[in-house]
Amino acid sequence: MQHANATIPKFVGGAAAREVWAKVIETTHTVTAVAFNEACQGSFVKYATIELDESVRRNTTIIANPVDTKTWKEKSERIYLLVRNGLVMKIGGTRTGMKDRWGSYLCGHCVQQRNKKDGTPFPGKMSVTNAHLYHTIENDILSTSANWEIWCWKLPVTIVTVDILGEPTNIVAQTFHAYETKCIKRFKDITGRIPLLCDNSDPTY
């Protein structure tokens, strides 16, 4: 069912961009967030809902509404799930927290099929991954009124001691790539394929 606010001008104006960048939603090879969370030892909790951004002050068309603003802004490693109508659509990871990661997804708005505030087209220098994800979610909410959520696993801090010029030095290790890869593998073990909106995982792990 089309969203009630689909006729707002900034949503209408993004039709050409959505036609190019939105992926077709397919739900036959996925798993519920609840079941996947159980398979990951209950590590994930809901962090935010993703909704249409109807504000005339912003050009962007989707917005994340955090359950807890302080947790959302924390700068630490996390694994996140993008969940549509209770089903896992993407597994990702971030080193700097969800506020920063969501901000990078919003850069997916800036495709050549959209105009800047001065009326000229964006140069199209955004990440292709961000553009696909942004427009897929926007298009899906507009056309089906689907419910999108973000679930997160806050990763433990891992400290390793290395010898630097003869001096033992504690270093905070970056681990989210390994966790992300293992989570994608767990998803594939359950469903037979990686999530719809995942492009790949780190082959190192």
Side-chain angles (χ1 to χ4, degrees), residues 110-129:
C110 303
V111 296
Q112 289 178 311
Q113 294 78 17
R114 291 184 184 269
N115 292 332
K116 296 181 284 186
K117 288 185 177 180
D118 65 4
T120 61
F122 284 104
K125 295 181 179 180
M126 73 299 138
S127 154
V128 169
T129 297

Side-chain angles (χ1 to χ4, degrees), residues 35-85:
F36 185 71
N37 193 28
E38 290 176 355
C40 295
Q41 302 175 339
S43 301
F44 291 92
V45 296
K46 180 180 171 180
Y47 266 44
T49 57
I50 303 174
E51 300 170 6
L52 294 179
D53 185 353
E54 300 166 11
S55 173
V56 296
R57 296 184 293 106
R58 292 180 293 270
N59 281 342
T60 48
T61 53
I62 54 176
I63 189 170
N65 292 314
V67 173
D68 180 81
T69 302
K70 181 180 178 181
T71 303
W72 182 255
K73 291 180 178 179
E74 281 182 354
K75 291 187 176 294
S76 62
E77 292 191 304
R78 283 168 170 78
I79 301 302
Y80 60 89
L81 311 176
L82 296 184
V83 179
R84 175 192 185 267
N85 290 345

Side-chain angles (χ1 to χ4, degrees), residues 2 6 18 56 58 61 65 87 96 114 151 169 191 193:
Q2 185 181 56
R18 294 191 296 275
V56 296
R58 292 180 293 270
T61 53
N65 292 314
L87 299 174
T96 57
R114 291 184 184 269
W151 292 34
T169 304
T191 68
R193 59 186 284 183

